[in-house]
Amino acid sequence: PWPLTVRCFGGFELLVDGRPLPSRGKSKHRQLELVKLLAAHAPAPLSPARITEILWPDSDGDAARHALETTLSRLRSTLGCDVFRSEHGTLALDRSICWIDATALDECIGRIESGTGELEPAAAGDAVRDLLRGELLAGESSSWLLPRREYWRSRIARVLGTAAAQLADGGGFVEAVRLLEYALAADPYSEPLTARLMSLCLAAGRHAEGLAAYRRYCRIALSVLGTPVAAEIESLARQLQERSA
């Protein structure tokens, strides 16, 4: 196992040498908040000023810097090793000894974006699905999380949506449908992705799946977005219903 494993998607999980951290007492709260912050932004580093702004917003410059240095020192003791990397005035978790799901997801999506790597788009999409266990730091409500969640939601939806279109153009309807399902799991509010999935299901004769996507979107449009369902989606639903009859 890696010396440190950090999972952020689907809830926070921290493993030291493959085992959960023994105790999470009140004294470790700020230490864990720092790990969450760095892991959720991985692989990008953060400046000390940004870290202290988020974690110690009511402290002045010197006090905030001292609090950060103290927390880093305590974390090294808690984890039993130095897992931090400092470069050009920024701080990050050291990728050579830390496995972070956000970093693994970034690399996987990057390979799809660039068209490089050993995995075909459909297999790479499966790898994204396996890493994306749920919302970033699910159950957490810190305000700094909102832009990070939106970043991942839009990036995953965009990349998988584009890969699905390429697969569909090549006749890979089944694989394209699967990727769009993954994309919508990341961004269930997307009207274009829903329409694209329904259109592919119509073309592939997968009427039940297309209608299921329609019903999911209807629930979201009415209860969450508070908007009427788009005419294009209603039209696709009618065609799916007629074909399935």
Side-chain angles (χ1 to χ4, degrees):
W2 288 75
L4 190 72
T5 299
V6 187
R7 294 186 181 275
C8 295
F9 289 96
F12 181 66
E13 182 180 39
L14 175 64
L15 303 177
V16 180
D17 292 325
R19 296 184 295 273
L21 201 62
S23 172
R24 290 194 181 184
K26 187 176 180 181
S27 63
K28 289 190 174 68
H29 172 73
R30 189 60 70 189
Q31 298 176 43
L32 295 178
E33 289 300 304
L34 178 55
V35 174
K36 291 175 187 178
L37 180 63
L38 293 175
H41 284 84
L46 290 176
S47 69
R50 179 59 177 154
I51 294 170
T52 54
E53 177 188 359
I54 292 172
L55 296 184
W56 294 278
D58 299 324
S59 300
D60 61 28
D62 289 341
R65 282 191 294 273
H66 177 71
L68 174 57
E69 290 168 1
T70 300
T71 302
L72 286 170
S73 176
R74 289 174 177 170
L75 253 175
R76 292 182 181 102
S77 176
T78 297
L79 301 176
C81 60
D82 188 353
V83 298
F84 304 103
R85 187 185 75 248
S86 180
E87 286 184 354
H88 309 297
T90 62
L91 189 69
L93 292 170
D94 189 341
R95 294 171 62 178
S96 69
I97 59 175
C98 301
W99 185 91
I100 308 164
D101 60 354
T103 298
L105 186 58
D106 177 79
E107 292 172 348
C108 189
I109 292 176
R111 287 193 291 270
I112 299 174
E113 288 176 315
S114 65
T116 61
E118 298 176 357
L119 295 179
E120 294 295 324
D126 292 338
V128 169
R129 187 256 340 253
D130 293 341
L131 288 166
L132 196 67
R133 303 181 306 162
E135 187 176 56
L136 183 71
L137 291 176
E140 307 273 346
S141 58
S142 300
S143 59
W144 64 264
L145 268 171
L146 297 178
R148 292 306 297 168
R149 285 171 175 163
E150 178 55 33
Y151 164 79
W152 280 113
R153 188 160 42 236
S154 61
R155 186 181 178 197
I156 291 167
R158 173 179 54 80
V159 172
L160 293 186
T162 300
Q166 293 170 347
L167 284 168
D169 289 343
F173 290 107
V174 173
E175 294 84 359
V177 166
R178 189 165 80 244
L179 286 194
L180 285 173
E181 291 280 9
Y182 298 162
L184 280 166
D187 187 6
Y189 311 114
S190 175
E191 178 185 306
L193 286 176
T194 300
R196 196 179 305 169
L197 174 59
M198 292 173 65
S199 180
L200 275 179
C201 286
L202 184 64
R206 301 174 68 152
H207 307 129
E209 289 179 56
L211 289 170
Y214 167 70
R215 287 190 288 270
R216 282 198 307 269
Y217 186 76
C218 284
R219 288 195 297 270
I220 290 170
L222 296 173
S223 64
V224 179
L225 302 179
T227 59
V229 177
E232 180 187 8
I233 290 179
E234 291 286 14
S235 174
L236 286 166
R238 286 193 295 272
Q239 293 177 65
L240 285 162
Q241 288 166 342
E242 289 169 1
R243 298 280 183 86
S244 63

